Amino acid sequence: MSLHIGAQAGEIAKRVLLPGDPLRAKHIAENFLEDAKCYNEIRGAFGYTGTYKGVPVSVQGTGMGIPSISIYVTELIREYGARKLIRVGTCGAMHENINLRDIVIAQGTTTDSSIIRNIFGPTINFAPLADYELMSKAMEVGQSLKIPTKVGNIVTVDRFYDDDIDNEKLRRYGILAVEMETAALYLLAAKYRVQSLGIFTASDHLLTKEAVPAEERQTNFNDMIKIALETIIQ
Ligand SMILES: Nc1nc2c(nc(Br)n2[C@@H]2O[C@H](CO)[C@@H](O)[C@H]2O)c(=O)[nH]1
């Protein structure tokens, strides 16, 4: 077992879905995977392994924010051999082309986190990008399932409550949505040369100030899970 994940070697699949909310990990395991078994309850970060259409798939709750997802992603890759990781999350829409409940695929990430500077220093702004094969497959699956998906740049921020960020400028530069984890996933996937993708449902809107009622979030969350599972088993 690793420092934060209580699984034995071999108990986690090389294909892993990564919701932030551990209760969503439980929902995915119970509703989409066959023979799902829980391999982790440490700190409430539920993790399960089952199969989807006969293919072993794990689902691991990562918590909120870059520090938390970085711990789980690093251990999943280094200690358990994860090779395809898809973050399935929620995001805040911040562009007029994104509607509430839309599914957004992060082609690339912009971030205010220091993680890139910590690695590359002050002059190289490394660009954490989606894995092209996973991204194009997810777009294709979305089209085939007639689930509209929007693809583009998103911003990963360190603060949920931030009075200083210039969202209007980010929107003008085409940033579609805001969340708090994906830049770290893409950076670590690049570091360890594995495949990763971030796909989200827009559950609140920074322009219209709307939010999807909690009881409704599950429905289009399920559409996103279908896309992620069909993508990750390829
Ligand atoms: N910073 C930020 N994060 C958001 C927002 N909407 C959502 Br859903 N999130 C995500 O949801 C959690 C915060 O509620 C974090 O894990 C983020 O990834 C938003 O408007 N802003």
Side-chain angles (χ1 to χ4, degrees), residues 128-140:
L129 300 180
D131 173 78
Y132 183 76
E133 183 192 11
L134 291 180
M135 182 179 69
S136 43
K137 185 70 196 162
M139 290 165 68
E140 187 190 309

Side-chain angles (χ1 to χ4, degrees), residues 155-171:
V155 64
T156 298
V157 297
D158 274 348
R159 289 177 287 175
F160 184 87
Y161 298 102
D162 179 349
D163 302 328
D164 315 299
I165 193 165
D166 186 345
N167 283 326
E168 180 44 31
K169 182 181 287 184
L170 288 164
R171 190 195 59 73

Side-chain angles (χ1 to χ4, degrees), residues 129-217:
L129 300 180
D131 173 78
Y132 183 76
E133 183 192 11
L134 291 180
M135 182 179 69
S136 43
K137 185 70 196 162
M139 290 165 68
E140 187 190 309
V141 169
Q143 275 150 15
S144 68
L145 296 177
K146 300 199 178 357
I147 300 169
T149 56
K150 309 272 172 76
V151 186
N153 197 351
I154 62 116
V155 64
T156 298
V157 297
D158 274 348
R159 289 177 287 175
F160 184 87
Y161 298 102
D162 179 349
D163 302 328
D164 315 299
I165 193 165
D166 186 345
N167 283 326
E168 180 44 31
K169 182 181 287 184
L170 288 164
R171 190 195 59 73
R172 280 202 312 277
Y173 276 71
I175 297 289
L176 301 181
V178 54
E179 49 88 72
M180 300 177 74
E181 294 84 22
T182 304
L185 170 61
Y186 287 4
L187 182 67
L188 289 166
K191 176 178 178 180
Y192 292 109
R193 312 307 301 136
V194 300
Q195 294 178 282
S196 74
L197 182 69
I199 177 169
F200 326 100
T201 54
S203 59
D204 56 288
H205 206 301
L206 277 66
L207 296 182
T208 65
K209 308 291 180 224
E210 295 170 287
V212 177
E215 64 280 3
E216 265 185 54
R217 290 191 181 189

